[in-house]
Amino acid sequence: MEVTRQNFKEVLPEVCNAIQEADFISIDGEFTGISDGPSVSALTNGLDTPEERYTKLRKHSMNFLLFQFGICTFRYEQNQSTYITKAFNFYIFPKPFSRTSPDIKFICQSSSIDFLASQGFDFNKVFRSGIAYLTREEESQLREQYEDRRGQMNGAGPVSYTPPSGGGACSVPEDQRDFIRSVEQKVDSLLNGSDQTLDLEPCTGSDSLIIIMYNRSHLNMSVHTLSLCVCVRFQRKLIYQTLNSKFPKLHVETLETEKKERFIQISKVDDEERRRREQQKQQREQEELNDAVGFSRVIRAISKSGKLVVGHNMLLDVMHTIHQFCAPLPEELDDFKEVAMSVFPRLLDTKLMASTQPFKEIIGNTSLAELHKQLREKPFRSPVTECPEGLRSYDTSTEQLHEAGYDAFITGLCFISMANYLGTFLTPPKSHISARSKLIEPFYNKLFLMRVIDIPYLNMSGPDLQPKRDHVLYVTFPKEWKTSDLYQLFSAFGNIQVSWIDDTSAFVSLSQTEQVQIAMNTSRYAESYRIQTYAEYLQGRQKNTSSRRWAADGWADTPYSADASRLHGVKRSISPSLEEQNHYSDSSWTHYSSGKKMKTDGGSSQTYVNVADSEASCDWPRLQPEGGASVSPVHEMAEPEKASANQSQGKRSRKHKKRNSDASETTPPTLFDVPKVW
């Protein structure tokens, strides 16, 4: 269903009901651009740390506008083995609803706009009918301004202008006296005639324009912040002040034409009618303010529900959603994680899911369109879906890629197909795996990191992987150098990989760690370039940043976190996963060991044991680091008492475990530790 400013009020209750009834929610966003500076390859360097990637995206991507947002809710009907889907395609545009509301500035990237245009994107619908939005802070400020205006008008009788500061009424300047005198004459004619209302012509500010021109030609640039609209507002202020003083029985109100021209309407009314009109005005202002909150209400409904939110390669979607509809992104990555988890307690990235075992060996291309195609073929099964009557149903046979609602829909289908595939490893196999299953939890709150060689995901609920990168060198050189110069410099070391940082620096990955010291020795007396080990590079960066200490529960101890729940109105409702593997050097970052699930008691509780050399056994997905011990999955149908005991034991053990994010000082834990939530 397409949702614009015209039908948003009508559709909003249905959207909120769909969110509350859903088993999970899939999302997708379309943006006006990706990067305002570096190329995409530079923005996504293969050797970025999670902190560096977040900093670059925050700096170079947040000035673009998320202007189409797709949501699709999925609810499973057990009796029919069918998913009920409700897809909504929202057009978003930050239209100022009043002169005091935020006037948002955003940028566009020509390549992104050209691409969306080639896909049939309707830009007119965005700009003409896009739904407004406000962050909580912006909404709070506007409501305070509204209450201040009401307080100023209460007890003053008619609606009148009250100076925002400084108290008393100002005198009429010499150059405005003729203007005010003409207004008074018109009001006298109204009072002496039979007409009930008088519409003053929109203030053009032509007299004030002369003042501005004079100032611009005689004063310095600090005065140039004056504008025509300020002078027009000043004339309206003088009108309100004069009429309130000389004609207290009149009702005065500022209205707006279809062409956005503001004019003053003066009416002859009695006290009862004046109060009625004042109430109508207050109701209208409240409705306008609620309309201005707009699409942010949808994000708040998703956040409040605590439902699993599924996306595809969704890091930018999450960042834009928080930045645009909740609050400006914090500078530090750990603060961002805290805020993100307070807004979306459970996230799942289908691109990351498809990039891990057991899917990694079956799925060759993880782009959304190709992933959806592959998941409709064996060994996967496409879910059966049904759309309620009256709602738009997407047809996957006619692709509508890059329409956010459609992309959200097929993202949800991909998640269901992969989740159900995991059920084939159970004994007996299960054809339906719910979004609350223990089998899904290893993928919670881990967002895919594009093009990072050895850190495949951003861990939103704890510290990130920290590979040693002993084979990597940090090289600085003259701006004139090209990739060929770096290959020539390191020609003696065989195959290398170059990852550019900027015009004068790059990472060079050697094929063997033993070659690093040789390279350092040979460059000791070089004048045109400088080589550092990756460890030295990190030390240099850390000198300029404060160290971050992780608390015992795996959350960063940060002053920002105290305000996160208050900012977004949601308390974090999910336990963080345990500490991740801190050392990993191979891009093939996970694999599964053989295992078989067996019922040991004939009941619903299942125990998983390794079965060696068994041809009949199926491979159970066990995420583990290279060379490490395999990790048994959490029981799919664990007994409540046992699950509760495990939770308590886990909490006690975590309290006595000192957490340290330094990879060199910790024993590498398992790659995926499942948070004990359900």
Side-chain angles (χ1 to χ4, degrees), residues 502-646:
D502 52 36
D503 290 341
T504 60
S505 62
F507 291 120
V508 175
S509 301
L510 304 182
S511 57
Q512 299 179 27
T513 305
E514 295 76 13
Q515 297 174 331
V516 169
Q517 192 56 50
I518 300 174
M520 296 291 294
N521 292 337
T522 56
S523 66
R524 185 172 301 172
Y525 303 106
E527 296 181 357
S528 60
Y529 64 91
R530 185 186 178 199
I531 298 179
Q532 290 179 283
T533 64
Y534 185 78
E536 291 172 341
Y537 163 76
L538 284 184
Q539 289 174 1
R541 289 183 59 86
Q542 289 171 354
K543 288 179 182 179
N544 300 324
T545 58
S546 58
S547 61
R548 184 58 55 113
R549 190 168 59 85
W550 289 87
D553 63 352
W555 291 91
D557 187 10
T558 166
Y560 196 100
S561 62
D563 296 329
S565 297
R566 177 184 61 80
L567 275 172
H568 308 290
V570 179
K571 186 175 182 180
R572 188 172 68 248
S573 59
I574 184 170
S575 303
S577 65
L578 300 178
E579 187 173 1
E580 301 290 349
Q581 173 202 13
N582 283 337
H583 170 67
Y584 197 78
S585 59
D586 190 353
S587 61
S588 177
W589 55 282
T590 62
H591 69 273
Y592 286 86
S593 64
S594 297
K596 185 173 178 65
K597 289 68 61 185
M598 301 178 62
K599 285 190 177 180
T600 59
D601 57 2
S604 60
S605 177
Q606 298 178 358
T607 301
Y608 303 91
V609 295
N610 287 330
V611 180
D613 301 324
S614 174
E615 294 180 359
S617 67
C618 61
D619 290 335
W620 165 251
R622 298 181 179 219
L623 292 162
Q624 65 180 32
E626 292 288 345
S630 62
V631 183
S632 296
V634 178
H635 298 173
E636 168 69 13
M637 302 291 286
E639 297 176 356
E641 294 84 357
K642 184 178 293 184
S644 177
N646 289 341

Side-chain angles (χ1 to χ4, degrees), residues 80 82-86 384-388 393:
Q80 303 174 5
T82 301
Y83 274 97
I84 306 301
T85 65
K86 295 182 180 181
V384 179
T385 62
E386 182 180 312
C387 183
S393 176

Side-chain angles (χ1 to χ4, degrees), residues 279-553:
Q279 290 175 354
Q280 289 179 342
K281 180 182 179 182
Q282 292 176 5
Q283 291 174 358
R284 188 165 60 249
E285 287 181 342
Q286 279 287 60
E287 290 178 2
E288 288 177 348
L289 186 52
N290 291 336
D291 291 344
V293 177
F295 183 74
S296 299
R297 295 185 180 278
V298 177
I299 301 302
R300 295 173 192 178
I302 296 174
S303 178
K304 186 177 180 180
S305 74
K307 301 294 176 65
L308 174 66
V309 176
V310 178
H312 187 83
N313 197 12
M314 66 188 303
L315 177 56
L316 265 181
D317 295 286
V318 172
M319 291 179 67
H320 272 283
T321 299
I322 292 174
H323 181 75
Q324 197 161 308
F325 307 117
C326 300
L329 294 181
E331 292 186 7
E332 297 294 332
L333 172 62
D334 295 322
D335 294 338
F336 164 69
K337 291 181 180 182
E338 190 77 5
V339 173
M341 288 291 93
S342 72
V343 178
F344 301 120
R346 289 186 295 152
L347 297 167
L348 187 143
D349 195 326
T350 52
K351 188 172 182 69
L352 177 69
M353 193 174 184
S355 302
T356 61
Q357 298 288 10
F359 311 105
K360 183 178 180 180
E361 302 303 326
I362 308 173
I363 298 171
N365 188 331
T366 59
S367 66
L368 182 58
E370 291 301 317
L371 177 63
H372 180 235
K373 289 179 182 178
Q374 293 174 77
L375 291 175
R376 286 185 288 181
E377 301 174 356
K378 291 184 178 181
F380 304 101
R381 290 181 298 104
S382 296
V384 179
T385 62
E386 182 180 312
C387 183
E389 188 176 350
L391 285 179
R392 176 186 178 186
S393 176
Y394 284 113
D395 183 2
T396 56
S397 63
T398 57
E399 290 185 341
Q400 295 172 260
L401 294 170
H402 305 291
E403 179 178 300
Y406 177 80
D407 286 355
F409 173 64
I410 64 173
T411 295
L413 297 182
C414 291
F415 166 66
I416 295 170
S417 295
M418 288 190 288
N420 289 344
Y421 179 72
L422 293 179
T424 64
F425 292 94
L426 298 175
T427 303
K430 293 184 64 176
S431 60
H432 167 67
I433 299 298
S434 78
R436 293 172 174 255
S437 170
K438 295 285 186 181
L439 299 178
I440 307 301
E441 289 184 3
F443 302 99
Y444 282 172
N445 300 331
K446 296 174 176 65
L447 306 186
F448 185 78
L449 281 180
M450 286 186 61
R451 297 188 177 93
V452 179
I453 299 170
D454 49 6
I455 306 177
Y457 63 85
L458 181 67
N459 183 14
M460 299 298 291
S461 55
D464 292 294
L465 304 179
Q466 294 185 2
K468 288 185 177 180
R469 295 178 174 174
D470 291 341
H471 64 298
V472 178
L473 296 173
Y474 173 67
V475 187
T476 55
F477 41 78
K479 189 174 182 179
E480 295 75 24
W481 278 34
K482 301 178 181 178
T483 303
S484 57
D485 296 306
L486 290 171
Y487 274 102
Q488 182 178 355
L489 178 64
F490 291 92
S491 58
F493 299 97
N495 293 329
I496 66 170
Q497 181 175 348
V498 177
S499 301
W500 283 84
I501 301 173
D502 52 36
D503 290 341
T504 60
S505 62
F507 291 120
V508 175
S509 301
L510 304 182
S511 57
Q512 299 179 27
T513 305
E514 295 76 13
Q515 297 174 331
V516 169
Q517 192 56 50
I518 300 174
M520 296 291 294
N521 292 337
T522 56
S523 66
R524 185 172 301 172
Y525 303 106
E527 296 181 357
S528 60
Y529 64 91
R530 185 186 178 199
I531 298 179
Q532 290 179 283
T533 64
Y534 185 78
E536 291 172 341
Y537 163 76
L538 284 184
Q539 289 174 1
R541 289 183 59 86
Q542 289 171 354
K543 288 179 182 179
N544 300 324
T545 58
S546 58
S547 61
R548 184 58 55 113
R549 190 168 59 85
W550 289 87
D553 63 352

